[in-house]
Short mmCIF file of all heavy atoms in Angstrom, two decimals:
data_model
loop_
_atom_site.label_atom_id
_atom_site.label_comp_id
_atom_site.label_asym_id
_atom_site.label_seq_id
_atom_site.Cartn_x
_atom_site.Cartn_y
_atom_site.Cartn_z
N ILE A 1453 59.34 -38.58 -24.24
CA ILE A 1453 60.24 -37.84 -23.36
C ILE A 1453 59.54 -37.57 -22.03
O ILE A 1453 58.38 -37.14 -22.01
CB ILE A 1453 60.60 -36.48 -24.00
CG1 ILE A 1453 61.20 -36.71 -25.39
CG2 ILE A 1453 61.59 -35.72 -23.12
CD1 ILE A 1453 61.06 -35.53 -26.30
N MET A 1480 70.56 -35.28 -30.67
CA MET A 1480 70.55 -33.93 -30.13
C MET A 1480 69.53 -33.82 -28.98
O MET A 1480 68.42 -34.33 -29.08
CB MET A 1480 70.16 -32.90 -31.21
CG MET A 1480 70.95 -33.00 -32.49
SD MET A 1480 72.65 -32.45 -32.28
CE MET A 1480 72.42 -30.69 -32.19
N PHE A 1482 68.02 -30.64 -26.36
CA PHE A 1482 67.99 -29.19 -26.18
C PHE A 1482 67.23 -28.84 -24.91
O PHE A 1482 66.33 -29.54 -24.50
CB PHE A 1482 67.27 -28.52 -27.36
CG PHE A 1482 67.82 -28.86 -28.72
CD1 PHE A 1482 67.33 -29.94 -29.44
CD2 PHE A 1482 68.83 -28.10 -29.29
CE1 PHE A 1482 67.82 -30.26 -30.69
CE2 PHE A 1482 69.33 -28.41 -30.55
CZ PHE A 1482 68.83 -29.49 -31.24
N TYR A 1484 65.03 -25.53 -23.33
CA TYR A 1484 64.38 -24.26 -23.61
C TYR A 1484 63.79 -23.69 -22.32
O TYR A 1484 63.47 -24.42 -21.39
CB TYR A 1484 63.21 -24.45 -24.61
CG TYR A 1484 63.62 -24.79 -26.02
CD1 TYR A 1484 63.88 -26.10 -26.39
CD2 TYR A 1484 63.69 -23.80 -27.00
CE1 TYR A 1484 64.22 -26.42 -27.69
CE2 TYR A 1484 64.03 -24.12 -28.32
CZ TYR A 1484 64.29 -25.42 -28.65
OH TYR A 1484 64.62 -25.74 -29.95
N GLN A 1486 60.56 -21.06 -21.19
CA GLN A 1486 59.37 -20.34 -21.63
C GLN A 1486 58.87 -19.51 -20.45
O GLN A 1486 58.22 -20.03 -19.54
CB GLN A 1486 58.28 -21.29 -22.12
CG GLN A 1486 57.08 -20.58 -22.73
CD GLN A 1486 56.10 -21.54 -23.36
OE1 GLN A 1486 56.01 -22.70 -22.98
NE2 GLN A 1486 55.35 -21.06 -24.34
N GLY A 1489 53.93 -15.86 -20.53
CA GLY A 1489 53.46 -15.04 -21.64
C GLY A 1489 54.45 -14.86 -22.77
O GLY A 1489 54.21 -14.07 -23.69
N GLN A 1490 55.56 -15.60 -22.72
CA GLN A 1490 56.60 -15.44 -23.74
C GLN A 1490 56.71 -16.70 -24.59
O GLN A 1490 56.11 -17.72 -24.29
CB GLN A 1490 57.96 -15.19 -23.06
CG GLN A 1490 57.97 -14.05 -22.07
CD GLN A 1490 58.03 -12.71 -22.74
OE1 GLN A 1490 58.63 -12.56 -23.79
NE2 GLN A 1490 57.39 -11.73 -22.15
N SER A 1491 57.53 -16.59 -25.63
CA SER A 1491 57.77 -17.75 -26.48
C SER A 1491 58.88 -18.61 -25.89
O SER A 1491 59.41 -18.33 -24.82
CB SER A 1491 58.16 -17.26 -27.88
OG SER A 1491 58.31 -18.36 -28.75
N LEU A 1492 59.22 -19.66 -26.60
CA LEU A 1492 60.30 -20.54 -26.17
C LEU A 1492 61.64 -19.94 -26.58
O LEU A 1492 61.82 -19.52 -27.73
CB LEU A 1492 60.17 -21.92 -26.82
CG LEU A 1492 59.06 -22.81 -26.31
CD1 LEU A 1492 57.74 -22.48 -26.96
CD2 LEU A 1492 59.41 -24.27 -26.54
N LEU A 1494 65.76 -20.86 -26.62
CA LEU A 1494 66.75 -21.93 -26.47
C LEU A 1494 67.82 -21.50 -25.47
O LEU A 1494 68.42 -20.43 -25.61
CB LEU A 1494 67.39 -22.24 -27.83
CG LEU A 1494 68.43 -23.35 -27.86
CD1 LEU A 1494 67.81 -24.69 -27.48
CD2 LEU A 1494 69.09 -23.44 -29.24
N GLU A 1507 73.46 -20.57 -25.65
CA GLU A 1507 73.04 -19.45 -26.48
C GLU A 1507 73.40 -18.14 -25.79
O GLU A 1507 73.68 -18.10 -24.57
CB GLU A 1507 71.52 -19.51 -26.72
CG GLU A 1507 71.10 -20.73 -27.50
CD GLU A 1507 71.76 -20.82 -28.86
OE1 GLU A 1507 71.68 -19.83 -29.63
OE2 GLU A 1507 72.36 -21.87 -29.16
N GLU A 1545 66.11 -34.45 -30.83
CA GLU A 1545 66.09 -34.62 -32.29
C GLU A 1545 66.98 -35.81 -32.59
O GLU A 1545 68.09 -35.92 -32.06
CB GLU A 1545 66.63 -33.36 -32.97
CG GLU A 1545 66.56 -33.35 -34.47
CD GLU A 1545 67.16 -32.07 -35.04
OE1 GLU A 1545 66.85 -30.98 -34.53
OE2 GLU A 1545 67.95 -32.17 -35.99
N THR A 1549 64.54 -38.19 -37.34
CA THR A 1549 63.41 -37.27 -37.19
C THR A 1549 63.36 -36.19 -38.27
O THR A 1549 62.42 -35.41 -38.30
CB THR A 1549 63.42 -36.58 -35.82
OG1 THR A 1549 64.53 -35.68 -35.75
CG2 THR A 1549 63.49 -37.59 -34.69
N TYR A 1550 64.39 -36.11 -39.09
CA TYR A 1550 64.40 -35.16 -40.20
C TYR A 1550 64.12 -33.74 -39.72
O TYR A 1550 63.25 -33.05 -40.21
CB TYR A 1550 63.39 -35.57 -41.27
CG TYR A 1550 63.60 -36.97 -41.75
CD1 TYR A 1550 62.72 -37.98 -41.37
CD2 TYR A 1550 64.69 -37.31 -42.56
CE1 TYR A 1550 62.91 -39.29 -41.80
CE2 TYR A 1550 64.88 -38.62 -42.98
CZ TYR A 1550 64.00 -39.59 -42.59
OH TYR A 1550 64.19 -40.87 -43.01
N ASN A 1551 64.88 -33.31 -38.72
CA ASN A 1551 64.83 -31.96 -38.16
C ASN A 1551 63.60 -31.68 -37.30
O ASN A 1551 63.42 -30.57 -36.83
CB ASN A 1551 64.93 -30.89 -39.25
CG ASN A 1551 66.30 -30.85 -39.89
OD1 ASN A 1551 67.26 -31.34 -39.31
ND2 ASN A 1551 66.39 -30.29 -41.08
N GLU A 1552 62.74 -32.67 -37.10
CA GLU A 1552 61.63 -32.46 -36.19
C GLU A 1552 62.13 -32.62 -34.76
O GLU A 1552 62.87 -33.55 -34.45
CB GLU A 1552 60.52 -33.46 -36.45
CG GLU A 1552 59.35 -33.34 -35.46
CD GLU A 1552 58.25 -34.34 -35.73
OE1 GLU A 1552 58.32 -35.05 -36.76
OE2 GLU A 1552 57.31 -34.44 -34.92
N GLN A 1553 61.71 -31.72 -33.88
CA GLN A 1553 62.04 -31.85 -32.47
C GLN A 1553 60.82 -32.33 -31.70
O GLN A 1553 59.71 -31.89 -31.95
CB GLN A 1553 62.52 -30.50 -31.91
CG GLN A 1553 63.90 -30.11 -32.41
CD GLN A 1553 64.48 -28.90 -31.70
OE1 GLN A 1553 64.05 -28.53 -30.61
NE2 GLN A 1553 65.45 -28.27 -32.33
N PHE A 1555 59.15 -32.69 -27.92
CA PHE A 1555 59.25 -31.96 -26.67
C PHE A 1555 58.75 -32.77 -25.48
O PHE A 1555 57.81 -33.56 -25.59
CB PHE A 1555 58.44 -30.66 -26.76
CG PHE A 1555 59.13 -29.61 -27.58
CD1 PHE A 1555 59.03 -29.63 -28.96
CD2 PHE A 1555 59.91 -28.64 -26.98
CE1 PHE A 1555 59.69 -28.67 -29.74
CE2 PHE A 1555 60.57 -27.69 -27.74
CZ PHE A 1555 60.46 -27.71 -29.12
N GLY A 1556 59.39 -32.52 -24.36
CA GLY A 1556 58.91 -33.08 -23.11
C GLY A 1556 57.73 -32.26 -22.59
O GLY A 1556 57.38 -31.24 -23.16
N PRO A 1557 57.14 -32.71 -21.49
CA PRO A 1557 55.96 -32.04 -20.95
C PRO A 1557 56.28 -30.73 -20.24
O PRO A 1557 55.39 -29.95 -19.95
CB PRO A 1557 55.40 -33.07 -19.97
CG PRO A 1557 56.58 -33.87 -19.56
CD PRO A 1557 57.48 -33.93 -20.76
N LYS B 1394 48.75 -12.07 -31.14
CA LYS B 1394 48.85 -12.90 -29.92
C LYS B 1394 47.60 -13.77 -29.77
O LYS B 1394 47.67 -14.87 -29.25
CB LYS B 1394 48.99 -12.01 -28.69
CG LYS B 1394 50.33 -11.30 -28.57
CD LYS B 1394 50.55 -10.75 -27.18
CE LYS B 1394 51.05 -11.81 -26.24
NZ LYS B 1394 51.57 -11.23 -24.97
N GLU B 1417 64.15 -23.51 -43.32
CA GLU B 1417 63.25 -24.64 -43.15
C GLU B 1417 62.27 -24.24 -42.07
O GLU B 1417 62.68 -23.94 -40.94
CB GLU B 1417 64.00 -25.91 -42.77
CG GLU B 1417 63.09 -27.12 -42.73
CD GLU B 1417 63.83 -28.44 -42.62
OE1 GLU B 1417 65.08 -28.45 -42.70
OE2 GLU B 1417 63.15 -29.46 -42.44
N PHE B 1419 58.49 -24.48 -39.82
CA PHE B 1419 57.60 -25.42 -39.16
C PHE B 1419 56.45 -24.66 -38.48
O PHE B 1419 56.60 -23.48 -38.12
CB PHE B 1419 58.33 -26.19 -38.04
CG PHE B 1419 59.55 -26.93 -38.49
CD1 PHE B 1419 60.76 -26.27 -38.66
CD2 PHE B 1419 59.50 -28.30 -38.71
CE1 PHE B 1419 61.90 -26.96 -39.06
CE2 PHE B 1419 60.64 -29.00 -39.10
CZ PHE B 1419 61.83 -28.33 -39.27
N TYR B 1421 54.37 -25.52 -35.02
CA TYR B 1421 54.16 -26.38 -33.87
C TYR B 1421 52.86 -25.94 -33.19
O TYR B 1421 52.49 -24.77 -33.23
CB TYR B 1421 55.31 -26.25 -32.87
CG TYR B 1421 56.53 -27.07 -33.23
CD1 TYR B 1421 57.47 -26.62 -34.16
CD2 TYR B 1421 56.75 -28.31 -32.63
CE1 TYR B 1421 58.58 -27.37 -34.49
CE2 TYR B 1421 57.86 -29.08 -32.95
CZ TYR B 1421 58.77 -28.59 -33.87
OH TYR B 1421 59.87 -29.35 -34.21
N GLN B 1423 50.31 -26.44 -29.56
CA GLN B 1423 50.18 -26.92 -28.19
C GLN B 1423 48.72 -26.82 -27.78
O GLN B 1423 48.18 -25.71 -27.57
CB GLN B 1423 51.04 -26.11 -27.23
CG GLN B 1423 51.10 -26.68 -25.82
CD GLN B 1423 52.22 -26.08 -25.01
OE1 GLN B 1423 52.66 -24.96 -25.24
NE2 GLN B 1423 52.71 -26.84 -24.03
N ARG B 1428 51.61 -31.46 -24.58
CA ARG B 1428 52.92 -30.93 -24.89
C ARG B 1428 52.97 -30.37 -26.29
O ARG B 1428 52.12 -30.66 -27.14
CB ARG B 1428 53.99 -32.01 -24.69
CG ARG B 1428 53.87 -33.20 -25.60
CD ARG B 1428 54.87 -34.28 -25.21
NE ARG B 1428 54.55 -34.87 -23.93
CZ ARG B 1428 55.37 -35.69 -23.26
NH1 ARG B 1428 56.54 -35.99 -23.78
NH2 ARG B 1428 55.02 -36.21 -22.11
N LEU B 1429 53.98 -29.57 -26.53
CA LEU B 1429 54.21 -28.98 -27.84
C LEU B 1429 54.51 -30.09 -28.85
O LEU B 1429 55.28 -31.01 -28.57
CB LEU B 1429 55.40 -28.03 -27.73
CG LEU B 1429 55.65 -27.05 -28.86
CD1 LEU B 1429 54.50 -26.07 -29.00
CD2 LEU B 1429 56.95 -26.29 -28.60
N LEU B 1431 54.78 -31.09 -33.34
CA LEU B 1431 54.85 -30.60 -34.70
C LEU B 1431 53.50 -30.74 -35.40
O LEU B 1431 52.88 -31.80 -35.33
CB LEU B 1431 55.91 -31.38 -35.48
CG LEU B 1431 56.11 -30.97 -36.94
CD1 LEU B 1431 56.71 -29.57 -37.03
CD2 LEU B 1431 57.00 -31.98 -37.66
N ARG B 1434 55.44 -29.07 -41.62
CA ARG B 1434 56.69 -28.43 -42.05
C ARG B 1434 56.58 -28.11 -43.52
O ARG B 1434 55.87 -28.79 -44.27
CB ARG B 1434 57.88 -29.34 -41.79
CG ARG B 1434 57.86 -30.61 -42.62
CD ARG B 1434 59.07 -31.46 -42.36
NE ARG B 1434 58.94 -32.26 -41.15
CZ ARG B 1434 59.95 -32.85 -40.54
NH1 ARG B 1434 61.17 -32.70 -41.01
NH2 ARG B 1434 59.74 -33.56 -39.46
N TYR B 1471 52.73 -22.05 -32.79
CA TYR B 1471 54.04 -21.42 -32.90
C TYR B 1471 54.64 -21.68 -34.28
O TYR B 1471 54.70 -22.84 -34.72
CB TYR B 1471 55.02 -21.97 -31.86
CG TYR B 1471 54.67 -21.63 -30.44
CD1 TYR B 1471 53.96 -22.53 -29.65
CD2 TYR B 1471 55.07 -20.42 -29.86
CE1 TYR B 1471 53.66 -22.24 -28.33
CE2 TYR B 1471 54.77 -20.12 -28.54
CZ TYR B 1471 54.06 -21.03 -27.80
OH TYR B 1471 53.76 -20.75 -26.48
N ILE B 1475 64.32 -23.28 -38.66
CA ILE B 1475 65.60 -23.93 -38.35
C ILE B 1475 66.72 -23.19 -39.05
O ILE B 1475 66.66 -22.94 -40.25
CB ILE B 1475 65.59 -25.41 -38.80
CG1 ILE B 1475 64.93 -26.24 -37.73
CG2 ILE B 1475 67.01 -25.88 -39.09
CD1 ILE B 1475 65.50 -27.59 -37.51
N GLY B 1480 77.11 -25.50 -34.76
CA GLY B 1480 76.79 -26.37 -33.63
C GLY B 1480 75.58 -27.23 -33.86
O GLY B 1480 75.07 -27.84 -32.92
N GLY B 1481 75.08 -27.30 -35.09
CA GLY B 1481 73.91 -28.11 -35.38
C GLY B 1481 72.70 -27.25 -35.67
O GLY B 1481 72.81 -26.04 -35.84
N ASN B 1482 71.53 -27.89 -35.73
CA ASN B 1482 70.30 -27.16 -36.06
C ASN B 1482 69.79 -26.42 -34.83
O ASN B 1482 69.68 -26.98 -33.76
CB ASN B 1482 69.24 -28.14 -36.55
CG ASN B 1482 69.62 -28.76 -37.86
OD1 ASN B 1482 70.46 -28.25 -38.57
ND2 ASN B 1482 69.01 -29.87 -38.18
N LYS B 1483 69.45 -25.16 -35.05
CA LYS B 1483 68.92 -24.34 -33.97
C LYS B 1483 67.52 -23.89 -34.36
O LYS B 1483 67.33 -23.27 -35.39
CB LYS B 1483 69.83 -23.14 -33.74
CG LYS B 1483 69.32 -22.16 -32.72
CD LYS B 1483 70.26 -20.97 -32.63
CE LYS B 1483 69.60 -19.83 -31.90
NZ LYS B 1483 70.47 -18.66 -31.81
N LEU B 1484 66.54 -24.20 -33.51
CA LEU B 1484 65.15 -23.88 -33.78
C LEU B 1484 64.80 -22.56 -33.11
O LEU B 1484 64.96 -22.42 -31.90
CB LEU B 1484 64.28 -25.01 -33.25
CG LEU B 1484 62.84 -25.14 -33.73
CD1 LEU B 1484 62.77 -25.25 -35.23
CD2 LEU B 1484 62.18 -26.34 -33.08
N PHE B 1486 61.75 -19.87 -32.39
CA PHE B 1486 60.29 -19.80 -32.35
C PHE B 1486 59.80 -18.36 -32.43
O PHE B 1486 60.44 -17.43 -31.94
CB PHE B 1486 59.77 -20.40 -31.04
CG PHE B 1486 59.82 -21.90 -30.99
CD1 PHE B 1486 60.95 -22.55 -30.54
CD2 PHE B 1486 58.73 -22.65 -31.40
CE1 PHE B 1486 60.99 -23.94 -30.50
CE2 PHE B 1486 58.76 -24.03 -31.37
CZ PHE B 1486 59.89 -24.67 -30.91
N GLY B 1487 58.61 -18.21 -33.02
CA GLY B 1487 57.89 -16.96 -32.92
C GLY B 1487 57.22 -16.88 -31.55
O GLY B 1487 57.32 -17.81 -30.74
N THR B 1488 56.54 -15.79 -31.29
CA THR B 1488 55.94 -15.56 -29.99
C THR B 1488 54.63 -16.31 -29.80
O THR B 1488 54.10 -16.34 -28.70
CB THR B 1488 55.70 -14.07 -29.77
OG1 THR B 1488 55.03 -13.54 -30.91
CG2 THR B 1488 57.01 -13.33 -29.56
N GLY B 1489 54.12 -16.89 -30.87
CA GLY B 1489 52.92 -17.71 -30.75
C GLY B 1489 51.63 -16.94 -30.95
O GLY B 1489 51.55 -15.74 -30.67
#
Side-chain angles (χ1 to χ4, degrees):
Chain A
I1453 304 156
M1480 309 289 285
F1482 305 91
Y1484 290 84
Q1486 186 173 26
Q1490 306 282 328
S1491 184
L1492 287 82
L1494 181 64
E1507 296 301 307
E1545 185 182 314
T1549 68
Y1550 305 107
N1551 292 340
E1552 177 180 353
Q1553 288 189 19
F1555 285 82
Chain B
K1394 290 195 82 167
E1417 186 169 352
F1419 304 81
Y1421 279 81
Q1423 188 165 26
R1428 64 187 68 191
L1429 194 63
L1431 180 68
R1434 65 178 81 196
Y1471 293 96
I1475 277 217
N1482 294 341
K1483 175 183 165 181
L1484 197 56
F1486 285 89
T1488 49

